[in-house]
Amino acid sequence: MNSKSGESPAKALRRLLNTPGIHLGPCCFDALSAKLIERAGFQFSIMSGFSVSATRLGLPDVGLISYGEVVDQGSLINQAVSIPVIGDGDNGYGNALNVKRTIKGFIKAGFAGILLEDQVAPKACGHTRGRKVIPREEAIMHIKAAIDAREESGSDIVILARTDSRQAVSLEEALIRSQAFADAGADVLFIDALASVEEMKAFCQISPQVPKMANMLEGGGKTPILSPAELEEIGYKIVCYPLSLLGVCMKAMEGALTAIKGGQIPPPGSLPSFEEMKETLGFNKYYAEEGRYAATNRDLDA
């Protein structure tokens, strides 16, 4: 349990999903980004596979990162925060039995939820070219396998079912798959790369009782960028912002490197003070706790 209230991460996420209103989840990629999201007051986060592949491997999100690397990264993230975090499970890393292992590994890593997609292997990043999906019945079986693995583990991890069939096949196929995933027991539904507000509305009419996730891809994706109020009116329950933190980090680091290359340091307003860094990273908390266990040297001096 990593929730401040003592409840499991999955229970905390389920409680949030049952809370009125729309909920915003910036995507994290490491323990520090997750801590900053929690510190800013957000109630949940999503671990971005795109960003983890970028920061851990320096490689594109095209299926190169492994199950073990993702689970390891997720474990470190979940140890660093008390808010629930949804993990990016890609396509489950194989067949239905691989999906079951992935679910169990994500549970052990402390994730509150897992996002599972229906792409073939190797997968492609959302909003990019070359995406292909597995047959519909196989995709449904993956969701059923995920639910079985959850029950076998005695967990209540939230299963978010994603389909990439909007771009790979058609909107009609994406809607059919979403309905089938809901019927199979998925807790949250997500169609990636919907191309218009009308398509987003059609999606939210599928199984109205099942929460929907929107993906606001910053910088230019296929899905229209809408405000939280607009998304809530359409029918969405949670919203992820996948690249905001990674994108500003990349831009800021490039600017800092340009300054250093020119014989300068980044201007004061572009980075926190050293004291602010220490506070964010927990140095002051560490020093206070360290003092509780400080040993005296009386016995040695006697």
Side-chain angles (χ1 to χ4, degrees):
M1 294 186 181
N2 61 355
S3 171
K4 290 179 180 178
S5 63
E7 60 189 353
S8 71
K11 187 174 181 180
L13 181 58
R14 289 183 182 278
R15 176 172 49 79
L16 185 66
L17 290 170
N18 289 322
T19 301
I22 193 164
H23 305 290
L24 313 182
C27 286
C28 63
F29 46 84
D30 60 11
L32 177 57
S33 58
K35 284 174 72 76
L36 291 172
I37 290 168
E38 181 176 40
R39 186 180 175 90
F42 290 95
Q43 294 180 286
F44 81 104
S45 179
I46 301 172
M47 187 187 78
S48 162
F50 181 104
S51 299
V52 170
S53 183
T55 56
R56 183 166 175 133
L57 304 182
L59 292 173
D61 182 25
V62 290
L64 296 173
I65 195 164
S66 70
Y67 160 81
E69 289 167 321
V70 170
V71 168
D72 178 64
Q73 194 81 350
S75 179
L76 295 174
I77 287 171
N78 287 310
Q79 290 176 52
V81 296
S82 60
I83 58 173
V85 179
I86 297 168
D88 186 349
D90 284 340
N91 54 10
Y93 303 98
N95 64 16
L97 295 182
N98 291 108
V99 169
K100 292 184 74 172
R101 179 172 184 253
T102 298
I103 293 291
K104 293 176 181 180
F106 272 49
I107 292 169
K108 290 179 181 178
F111 282 114
I114 180 170
L115 186 63
L116 289 172
E117 62 196 45
D118 57 0
Q119 289 196 53
V120 301
K123 59 151 286 179
C125 171
H127 296 259
T128 62
R129 66 185 184 184
R131 282 184 291 173
K132 297 178 182 179
V133 292
I134 60 177
R136 186 194 305 164
E137 288 304 315
E138 186 178 349
I140 295 168
M141 287 302 166
H142 283 194
I143 298 303
K144 290 183 177 180
I147 293 169
D148 287 345
R150 177 176 65 189
E151 293 176 353
E152 291 167 9
S153 301
S155 167
D156 56 353
I157 190 171
V158 176
I159 296 173
L160 297 87
R162 160 180 164 170
T163 180
D164 286 77
S165 56
R166 166 60 189 92
Q167 297 298 323
V169 184
S170 66
L171 173 63
E172 180 183 10
E173 177 64 20
L175 296 176
I176 291 172
R177 289 190 182 216
S178 294
Q179 181 65 66
F181 294 160
D183 293 342
D187 299 299
V188 179
L189 302 176
F190 170 44
I191 298 179
D192 192 49
L194 290 170
S196 68
V197 171
E198 289 69 29
E199 292 188 4
M200 298 165 81
K201 289 179 178 178
F203 168 49
C204 287
Q205 291 172 2
I206 297 292
S207 294
Q209 76 282 5
V210 181
K212 312 298 191 301
M213 185 178 85
N215 181 30
M216 295 290 96
L217 180 62
E218 313 88 331
K222 298 182 183 298
T223 303
I225 300 295
L226 304 179
S227 70
E230 290 171 321
L231 291 168
E232 183 179 10
E233 184 176 355
I234 290 173
Y236 285 100
K237 189 64 181 177
I238 59 176
V239 190
C240 75
Y241 297 87
L243 300 182
S244 290
L245 296 191
L246 175 64
V248 297
C249 282
M250 292 173 66
K251 196 72 173 178
M253 286 191 286
E254 289 172 346
L257 291 169
T258 298
I260 294 170
K261 194 173 183 179
Q264 302 174 330
I265 62 171
S270 67
L271 74 168
S273 69
F274 186 48
E275 290 301 319
E276 290 170 331
M277 288 186 186
K278 290 194 295 181
E279 174 61 28
T280 298
L281 294 172
F283 276 88
N284 294 332
K285 182 179 179 181
Y286 174 85
Y287 294 146
E289 188 169 3
E290 182 184 41
R292 292 175 52 196
Y293 302 103
T296 64
N297 293 324
R298 294 176 187 171
D299 293 340
L300 296 176
D301 294 338

